[in-house]
Amino acid sequence: MTKVVKEESSSDEDIPLARHSSSSTKPQTIKKKLDTPVKANKRNLSTVKKQRTTEASDDDDIPLARRRSATAKEQPIKEESSDDDDVPLAKRKPVVTQTKSLKRATPVKAESAPTNKKPKKEVKVEEDVYRWWEQEMENGAGDNGLDDNGIKWTQLSHNGVLFPPEYVPHGIQMKYDGKSVKLTPEAEEVASFFAALLESDHGANPTFQKNFFEDFQKVLAKSPKNPKMTSFEKCDFRPMWQKFELDKERKKQMTKEEKLKIKEERIAVEQSFIYANVDGRKEKIGNFRIEPPGLFRGRGDHPKTGRLKLRVYPEQITLNLSKDSKIPPALPGHKWGKIVHDQQATWLATWKENINDTSKYVFLSANSSWKGQSDMKKFDKARELKGHVDRIRKNYTNDLKDKLTETRQRATAMYLIDRLALRAGNEKGDEEADTVGCCSLRYEHITLESPNTVHFDFLGKDSIRYENSVQVETQVFKNLRLFQKQVGPGNAIFDRLTTTGLNKHLNNYMPGLSAKVFRTYNASFTCQQQLDKLTSKTDTIHDRILSFNRANREVAVLCNHQRAASKSHGQQMMKIADKLRATKYQRMKLRKQLFALDKSIKKRRPNLAVDESDLEDDWIKEYDIQTIEKEREKAKVKFDKQNDRLKSEGKAPLPKSELQDKLKKVDELKAQLDKERKTGKVEVAATMNVEKLLAKIEKLDERINATKIQATDKEENKEISLGTSKMNYIDPRIIVAWCRTYEVPMEKVYSKTLVEKFRWAETIPDDWKF
DNA sequence: AGCTAAACTTAGCAGTCATATA
DNA sequence: TATATGACTGCTAAGTTTAGCT
C-alpha cells in the first residue's frame, strides 16, 4: 500500500465513497483517465479498474473518525431549516389544494393549416395536481386516523387495465428443414416472438434458444395441424424476421399525417385508463397496460430466459377498488378474477406471471402523491440516519472484534454496506441468475491482498459486474481472511448472516433502518458534499452544470450504475477535438490580425500573446487543404444547382466562365492561405478594427471553453449511467437548493418527468442541506 | 427460526422522440 | 431533407423489506 499525498486530501476524506478517484479535479481539460474504469464492454468482460488508490490509505486508517467529524460539522447547520420536513407525513392534515397551473408554453400559431411545421408545443393544460406537500401541520400528535394505521385511501376507483390486442396472423411462413411450414395462429405467434429477436443477443443465446424451443414445441403439439419439429437447428425464422424488418421500414416511411393518426388512435384508446380516482383526486396511473405475451428476456445468465410468457386474461387479474366504485368492464366475454377493497394497498390491479410465478402490479405513476410521499419518507429516513451513523459506525467497528462469529460477520458486512454502498444481497434460488450482494458474497468474489486490500469481482443486480479494489480497515481484512478460510471455495463468506438478521439488527438503532437506507444515505451525502466542493459562484453556467454532472457521476460510480459505451464514442471524441482545433485556428488568425493593427496590444494584453495549444503546422496545412476542397465542391454544387433551376424554367444556363471565375476565387483563397502559412502573417480586412477583433476573439474563447467542457463531460460519462442515481438515490431537495443557489434552472438537470416527480421537493428553504 | 409471498423500489434495455448534422 | 445520435420514456426484470405462516 502506498501512501500518496493528495492535494486537498482532508476535505476529501469525508466522502464515504468507494470510488471517488474517478472524476473530480480539473475542470475543462480532458483528463487522462489513468485511474478510471476502463471497460471493454458492460458485463462479464474483463475490465481493468483501478480505484480508490492512493488517498484511500490515508482515510482508511481513520475513516470513521474523519467521517464523524464530517457529519458532526454539517449536522447543526440544517437541523433548524429542516424543521418542517421532518414531520412525518402521517401527522399532516390532508388538504386538497387543487392548483391549476395553466401552462401556455407557446401561443398557438394562427391556423394556417397544412404548413409542414408542426406547432411548437401544443397548449398544454396541466392537470390538477394534488399538492400534498403544501399542507399545514397544525395537528400535533398522530391524531389523524387516516394516516398511521396504514390506510392509504378511503375511495378508489379506476377503469381497470388495458389488454394488448389479440394476435392477428400475418401468414408468413417459417421454414423447417428447408421447407415452408404452415402453423396455427397460436404457433405462428410464438415463432414470431423468436423471429423478431433473431438478430439480437437473445436470439444468439443458447439458453434462450433452448427455452424458447421447448415452449415452442409444446405449443406446436397443441394442434395436429402443426408440423412436428424436433431440432431447433432446422428452424429458419428468417422469412418472418425479414417481414418484420420490412414492416419497420414501412413504418418509417409513413407520412407525418399517418403517424399522427396512429398516435391519436392510441391516445384515444388509452384515454379512460390514464387516471385513477383517489379520494376525489385524479391521479395518474403508471402502468395500466397489461404486459403483452412474448419471450421472457431474463438478464445475464438467467436459467429461464427465452421461456414463453403467456397472454394475460381478466380471469387472472385482481382489481383493487373501493366498494362504492363501479366495476370496470373486463374484456368482452371475460370476467375479472377477483375484486378486492384493500385500503392498505396502493396497487390498483395485480396478477401472476407464468415464468417465475411472481406478482405483477399496476401502481400509480412516479409523480403521484403515493409515490411522492413514500419517496419523501425514504429520503427523510436516509437523512435521519445522519444522526445515528456515528454511533452505528462506532459499534460495528467494535463488533469487528467480537468473539461471536455471527456478530463479527454482521459487523464486517455492515462495514462493506456502509463503505461501499453494497446492496443487502438476499439469497437466490437455482431458478434465477447467479448474482450476489453483500450478505450473499461468496469465497470467489473477493481476493485479498496483504496488507489490507480487498479486490471485489462479482455480478450484482441485473448481472452488472462490480469490480473494485479497496483498502479496508485491518480488522475487516483479517475478518474476511478468516471467514474465507472457514467457509472455503464456493460458499458464502458470511455464512451466519442473513439480510433479515442484518435488518433486524439495524432496526434496533433506528426505526425503519435497513441496509438499503445506507445506500440512499451515502449517495445523497456524497452528492451534497461534492456539489458544495465543486461549484463556485464565479463559474459560468456551463461550468456549474459540469460540476453538477461530476457530483452526479461520483454518486453513480459509488452505486455502480453502468451503461454500455456507445460504439462510436472514440470517433465522436476525435470529432470534438477537431472542432476544437478549428476554432483555435480561427482564433490564432484573429490574434495575428490584431497584432498587425496594434503592435502594442501584445504588451498591454499579454494573455493574447500566448499561442493556441496543440495547433500544429501539419494539422493547419491539412485543414487548409480540406477547406479549399470544400470551397471548390461548394462552388460546383451551387453552379449546377443554379443551372438546374434555370433549365427547369426554360432559361439559358450560366456560362462555364461563371464557374471558372468562382473557382479562380477559391484559387486565390488557396494562395492566400498558402501565403499566410509561409509568412505567418494574416492579412487584415479593410473593415476590421481592434474592437471588432477583440470581440470576435472573446466569442471564440467562449466557444473553445464550451467545446472543452463538452469533451470532458462526454469522456467522463461514457460508461456511467447518471439517471438511476438521479431518479432513486439523490435527495431532490439537494438539487433544488443547489439550483437556487447557483441560479441554474431545474430543467438543466432534471428531465420533464423528473421535475414533476420531485415537485414536492421545491418547498424547501434556499439554504436546505441534506 | 426459517420460509414464503406480498408489496414496493430500483435497474438497465430497448424503443421513441427530438435535435443536431450532413 | 434525410439521417444519425443522443436524450428521454416506457417497459418489465430484478432487487429489498416485511408480514404472516408453519
Side-chain angles (χ1 to χ4, degrees):
Chain A
M1 140 172 132
T2 9
K3 187 137 186 166
V4 176
V5 187
K6 198 190 166 187
E7 330 84 283
E8 327 168 294
S9 59
S10 59
S11 70
D12 237 23
E13 334 264 323
D14 309 338
I15 312 180
L17 299 209
R19 321 156 168 219
H20 54 291
S21 52
S22 63
S23 54
S24 67
T25 53
K26 332 184 185 172
Q28 307 182 18
T29 12
I30 301 179
K31 195 181 155 205
K32 286 197 203 110
K33 306 186 69 194
L34 294 178
D35 56 349
T36 292
V38 178
K39 243 165 287 161
N41 203 339
K42 251 184 131 112
R43 56 177 62 166
N44 300 7
L45 297 182
S46 70
T47 71
V48 190
K49 208 188 253 184
K50 193 182 150 216
Q51 327 267 348
R52 206 187 201 312
T53 45
T54 62
E55 81 280 10
S57 57
D58 213 346
D59 136 2
D60 279 321
D61 298 337
I62 10 167
L64 299 183
R66 298 254 167 119
R67 285 194 216 166
R68 211 174 301 132
S69 69
T71 21
K73 247 186 288 171
E74 293 198 22
Q75 203 135 305
I77 304 179
K78 71 243 4 317
E79 217 65 348
E80 293 320 329
S81 61
S82 60
D83 212 323
D84 67 22
D85 302 307
D86 292 339
V87 177
L89 290 168
K91 315 259 163 89
R92 300 187 178 197
K93 184 175 147 209
V95 174
V96 182
T97 340
Q98 300 216 322
T99 312
K100 193 170 243 168
S101 52
L102 264 200
K103 238 200 219 156
R104 276 178 201 282
T106 318
V108 197
K109 288 212 195 98
E111 280 80 28
S112 48
T115 358
N116 43 5
K117 277 210 173 132
K118 63 174 172 197
K120 252 202 157 151
K121 227 156 233 164
E122 288 115 64
V123 177
K124 192 192 157 197
V125 180
E126 205 170 279
E127 305 301 332
D128 295 345
V129 179
Y130 170 42
R131 304 173 75 86
W132 52 268
W133 56 91
E134 277 182 359
Q135 296 160 21
E136 315 185 24
M137 308 135 296
E138 67 232 19
N139 298 338
D143 51 9
N144 199 328
L146 261 191
D147 301 320
D148 230 34
N149 50 16
I151 299 289
K152 301 287 183 10
W153 51 265
T154 45
Q155 210 276 325
L156 175 66
S157 59
H158 55 84
N159 205 27
V161 292
L162 180 54
F163 291 91
E166 281 297 332
Y167 182 65
V168 182
H170 50 64
I172 305 294
Q173 299 186 343
M174 63 175 288
K175 289 182 182 172
Y176 188 73
D177 212 3
K179 292 184 221 59
S180 291
V181 289
K182 195 166 184 318
L183 302 176
T184 59
E186 192 188 3
E188 182 195 280
E189 182 183 21
V190 178
S192 297
F193 290 152
F194 189 84
L197 298 174
L198 210 53
E199 294 287 283
S200 71
D201 287 352
H202 295 298
N205 174 349
T207 311
F208 194 94
Q209 293 175 354
K210 178 184 142 285
N211 285 329
F212 153 72
F213 192 59
E214 279 176 22
D215 285 357
F216 182 43
Q217 284 178 305
K218 283 180 206 154
V219 172
L220 287 171
K222 282 166 100 177
S223 165
K225 289 183 190 159
N226 288 316
K228 287 212 170 48
M229 300 192 196
T230 50
S231 156
F232 174 78
E233 275 65 40
K234 289 182 182 168
C235 294
D236 180 5
F237 299 96
R238 193 115 330 234
M240 289 182 176
W241 182 81
Q242 278 162 351
K243 182 222 184 306
F244 299 145
E245 288 296 299
L246 209 72
D247 286 351
K248 276 187 219 161
E249 205 45 51
R250 270 197 217 120
K251 202 177 162 196
K252 254 196 254 169
Q253 300 303 327
M254 284 192 305
T255 65
K256 268 200 191 100
E257 289 73 30
E258 288 171 314
K259 284 181 187 165
L260 195 68
K261 200 177 155 217
I262 290 177
K263 195 178 167 187
E264 275 165 0
E265 283 167 2
R266 182 170 50 85
I267 289 171
V269 171
E270 285 173 351
Q271 215 35 253
S272 63
F273 298 97
I274 297 176
Y275 296 100
N277 229 303
V278 181
D279 293 335
R281 287 146 12 216
K282 227 168 135 189
E283 295 263 14
K284 220 172 195 154
I285 301 175
N287 56 327
F288 50 81
R289 272 171 197 285
I290 290 297
E291 295 173 16
L295 302 179
F296 174 68
R297 285 139 113 124
R299 315 256 170 98
D301 215 348
H302 195 118
K304 292 186 177 179
T305 194
R307 291 270 312 274
L308 178 59
K309 197 168 108 167
L310 299 172
R311 184 175 288 270
V312 176
Y313 288 101
E315 283 72 12
Q316 300 154 36
I317 295 180
T318 302
L319 296 183
N320 195 19
L321 294 160
S322 50
K323 288 182 182 151
D324 59 345
S325 47
K326 92 172 208 319
I327 295 169
L331 283 180
H334 289 274
K335 281 184 187 143
W336 298 114
K338 227 191 323 176
I339 307 286
V340 300
H341 318 286
D342 185 350
Q343 293 179 266
Q344 318 239 16
T346 65
W347 54 267
L348 311 184
T350 182
W351 74 94
K352 280 259 178 85
E353 49 88 31
N354 67 300
I355 305 286
N356 297 300
D357 200 35
T358 59
S359 301
K360 300 271 187 170
Y361 299 88
V362 172
F363 290 113
L364 293 185
S365 68
N367 57 7
S368 66
S369 52
W370 284 342
K371 295 285 188 193
Q373 284 163 2
S374 85
D375 233 27
M376 178 166 149
K377 219 160 110 190
K378 172 182 78 182
F379 288 116
D380 280 344
K381 190 56 78 181
R383 221 161 148 241
E384 194 186 338
L385 175 56
K386 273 176 14 124
H388 298 270
V389 77
D390 294 347
R391 180 169 51 104
I392 295 173
R393 283 170 176 164
K394 205 169 131 206
N395 286 357
Y396 75 57
T397 304
N398 276 331
D399 285 348
L400 288 172
K401 288 177 270 189
D402 198 276
K403 54 185 178 307
L404 209 64
T405 305
E406 196 186 325
T407 306
R408 253 177 314 131
Q409 288 194 352
R410 195 181 61 204
T412 312
M414 280 171 71
Y415 177 90
L416 297 181
I417 284 169
D418 183 25
R419 278 297 293 267
L420 306 179
L422 299 187
R423 296 188 185 86
N426 286 302
E427 278 182 47
K428 297 193 71 188
D430 303 337
E431 307 270 74
E432 302 171 273
D434 178 19
T435 62
V436 297
C438 184
C439 294
S440 50
L441 281 169
R442 292 196 304 270
Y443 182 96
E444 58 272 26
H445 295 137
I446 62 170
T447 313
L448 302 175
E449 186 192 326
S450 289
N452 67 341
T453 304
V454 186
H455 303 283
F456 293 84
D457 189 351
F458 60 87
L459 298 184
K461 181 178 180 180
D462 291 312
S463 295
I464 295 295
R465 188 173 184 185
Y466 182 94
E467 210 184 9
N468 194 13
S469 296
V470 189
Q471 287 170 339
V472 300
E473 253 183 53
T474 318
Q475 195 56 44
V476 170
F477 188 82
K478 283 184 189 164
N479 285 358
L480 288 173
R481 193 167 53 195
L482 180 68
F483 300 151
Q484 234 185 359
K485 196 178 149 210
Q486 283 172 342
V487 302
N491 295 312
I493 294 167
F494 303 118
D495 62 339
R496 317 279 171 90
L497 187 65
T498 63
T499 52
T500 312
L502 175 64
N503 283 337
K504 277 214 175 100
H505 176 71
L506 291 176
N507 202 63
N508 294 334
Y509 283 107
M510 188 186 110
L513 184 62
S514 63
K516 84 195 264 280
V517 179
F518 279 87
R519 223 166 125 84
T520 312
Y521 161 74
N522 274 148
S524 285
F525 181 89
T526 301
C527 185
Q528 177 76 71
Q529 189 236 23
Q530 287 291 299
L531 283 176
D532 290 349
K533 178 178 150 197
L534 298 172
T535 355
S536 150
K537 293 229 171 178
T538 58
D539 286 345
T540 64
I541 185 117
H542 257 97
D543 291 333
R544 294 175 195 199
I545 291 167
L546 179 64
S547 296
F548 178 89
N549 286 333
R550 284 220 170 90
N552 191 169
R553 184 156 47 240
E554 202 78 20
V555 178
V557 168
L558 171 71
C559 296
N560 200 37
H561 292 143
Q562 300 187 9
R563 65 166 184 185
S566 83
K567 321 128 228 142
S568 52
H569 176 83
Q571 257 178 35
Q572 286 165 22
M573 289 308 292
M574 274 161 58
K575 226 160 104 186
I576 293 175
D578 230 43
K579 192 170 109 190
L580 187 60
R581 269 192 291 259
T583 318
K584 285 180 176 174
Y585 181 39
Q586 282 179 44
R587 184 180 184 274
M588 182 190 82
K589 290 195 174 187
L590 292 177
R591 273 176 48 240
K592 285 186 173 167
Q593 293 179 51
L594 191 62
F595 302 150
L597 280 182
D598 178 359
K599 285 208 172 82
S600 70
I601 204 155
K602 258 192 188 180
K603 286 246 166 73
R604 284 188 286 120
R605 303 271 302 269
N607 56 333
L608 281 174
V610 181
D611 285 340
E612 283 75 13
S613 58
D614 58 42
L615 258 191
E616 280 151 27
D617 291 347
D618 285 352
W619 183 88
I620 292 177
K621 196 173 170 191
E622 183 58 32
Y623 184 78
D624 281 351
I625 291 172
Q626 280 180 21
T627 307
I628 296 299
E629 243 166 54
K630 273 186 211 155
E631 287 298 315
R632 283 215 177 100
E633 196 54 34
K634 230 166 46 187
K636 280 180 202 158
V637 168
K638 198 174 170 192
F639 181 78
D640 289 346
K641 226 172 163 181
Q642 275 179 332
N643 270 350
D644 281 353
R645 209 190 58 216
L646 289 173
K647 203 174 169 188
S648 71
E649 288 169 2
K651 292 179 188 160
L654 296 167
K656 274 254 167 68
S657 61
E658 185 104 355
L659 179 60
Q660 299 302 335
D661 286 351
K662 278 195 179 142
L663 289 176
K664 218 176 196 172
K665 283 229 172 87
V666 177
D667 286 340
E668 280 163 23
L669 176 64
K670 181 177 185 307
Q672 190 196 327
L673 291 174
D674 288 345
K675 191 178 155 205
E676 281 177 9
R677 282 205 312 279
K678 204 169 280 170
T679 61
K681 285 187 181 132
V682 180
E683 224 173 285
V684 185
T687 55
M688 255 322 149
N689 61 39
V690 173
E691 261 87 70
K692 277 190 191 167
L693 283 170
L694 283 173
K696 280 194 169 193
I697 288 175
E698 199 172 326
K699 273 257 166 66
L700 287 187
D701 280 341
E702 273 169 30
R703 206 151 92 203
I704 288 169
N705 210 346
T707 310
K708 277 182 181 169
I709 288 173
Q710 187 198 355
T712 314
D713 218 28
K714 197 183 190 85
E715 180 62 30
E716 290 178 354
N717 247 346
K718 68 175 172 193
E719 49 194 4
I720 297 169
S721 163
L722 302 185
T724 305
S725 51
K726 211 188 272 188
M727 171 138 80
N728 300 304
Y729 287 102
I730 299 170
D731 191 323
R733 293 169 293 192
I734 298 171
I735 297 182
V736 168
W738 180 86
C739 280
R740 284 192 204 150
T741 308
Y742 295 99
E743 296 175 332
V744 175
M746 296 271 285
E747 298 75 42
K748 295 274 179 198
V749 296
Y750 276 152
S751 69
K752 203 183 94 211
T753 38
L754 283 188
V755 169
E756 273 169 35
K757 168 174 163 142
F758 292 134
R759 213 64 104 178
W760 60 266
E762 289 177 22
T763 54
I764 50 150
D766 293 356
D767 61 348
W768 192 94
K769 294 267 176 176
F770 179 76

